Amino acid sequence: MLAVLALSLSCERDDICATSTPTTPQLTMSFLDADNINETKSLNINIYKRDISDSITYTDASTIQVPLRTDTTATVLVFVKNPNNLVAAENPNNADTLIFTYTPQETFISRACGYKVVFNNLNIQVNPGSDGRWIDDFIINNRTIADEDTTHVFIRH
C-alpha cells in the first residue's frame, strides 16, 4: 500500500503543448499601391525557393505570410507577380528575387512545446527579374519577427 501511495505522489500531469502557444512566426507582408502608400493593392503571386520547389500561391492577396528558414541566417525567395496571366497589365512572368537576412534566436517555450525561433535584424535585398523589377520599393516596418500580429514588411508595386 505504501508503494502505491508513493507512486501516485510522484506522478506529474501530462505535459501537452497547447494549440494557443506561440510558435515560430512567419514573415507578414502587405502590398501597397506604388502611387498611394496608404492604399493596399491586392495581387496574384507565386512565391517559391530559388530551385523552384515548395511554391506558395496567393490569389487576390493584399497581406501574406511566408516562412523563413530557421537553420540559417538568410532565406531566398522568388516572387512572381501575376503568374501566367496574359491579360495582366504587368509583365505576366516577371519575377523578383528577395533575399531576407536576419539573426535567428531560439527561445525555449516549454518541455512539451520545445523551442521557437525569433528573427532579429531583418534586412532585405531585391534582385530584379530579367524584365526589370515589379517591386517599386519596400518598407521594413519591424526588424524583429516575434509574432504574426504585426506587418513586418510593406511592398510597394
Side-chain angles (χ1 to χ4, degrees):
M1 179 83 167
L2 185 58
V4 171
L5 181 60
L7 179 62
S8 65
L9 293 176
S10 66
C11 290
E12 296 179 18
R13 69 174 186 86
D14 288 340
D15 206 3
I16 299 173
C17 187
T19 57
S20 61
T21 302
T23 57
T24 297
Q26 295 188 62
L27 173 67
T28 302
M29 295 184 285
S30 290
F31 298 101
L32 302 175
D33 188 313
D35 297 325
N36 182 358
I37 63 169
N38 296 319
E39 184 177 317
T40 60
K41 183 177 179 184
S42 298
L43 75 158
N44 299 324
I45 191 165
N46 277 0
I47 301 170
Y48 56 91
K49 293 180 185 176
R50 195 181 306 187
D51 63 0
I52 311 177
S53 66
D54 301 329
S55 70
I56 305 170
T57 301
Y58 296 95
T59 303
D60 197 31
S62 61
T63 299
I64 64 171
Q65 293 179 328
V66 295
L68 297 176
R69 292 185 55 179
T70 59
D71 61 339
T72 185
T73 60
T75 299
V76 179
L77 297 172
V78 179
F79 287 64
V80 180
K81 183 178 180 181
N82 295 319
N84 302 316
N85 184 355
L86 300 177
V87 297
E90 295 88 1
N91 184 341
N93 285 310
N94 197 4
D96 287 348
T97 301
L98 274 67
I99 303 166
F100 301 94
T101 58
Y102 44 81
T103 305
Q105 176 186 354
E106 287 187 342
T107 304
F108 182 73
I109 299 171
S110 70
R111 191 176 72 177
C113 299
Y115 290 84
K116 79 173 194 173
V117 175
V118 172
F119 304 97
N120 297 306
N121 306 315
L122 177 68
N123 284 300
I124 304 171
Q125 178 184 348
V126 180
N127 291 335
S130 59
D131 295 326
R133 272 177 50 170
W134 65 265
I135 296 175
D136 290 327
D137 193 14
F138 62 86
I139 302 161
I140 299 176
N141 186 48
N142 194 338
R143 292 193 184 275
T144 300
I145 304 166
D147 60 51
E148 297 174 350
D149 299 330
T150 304
T151 299
H152 306 107
V153 176
F154 293 100
I155 294 178
R156 295 176 54 203
H157 67 104

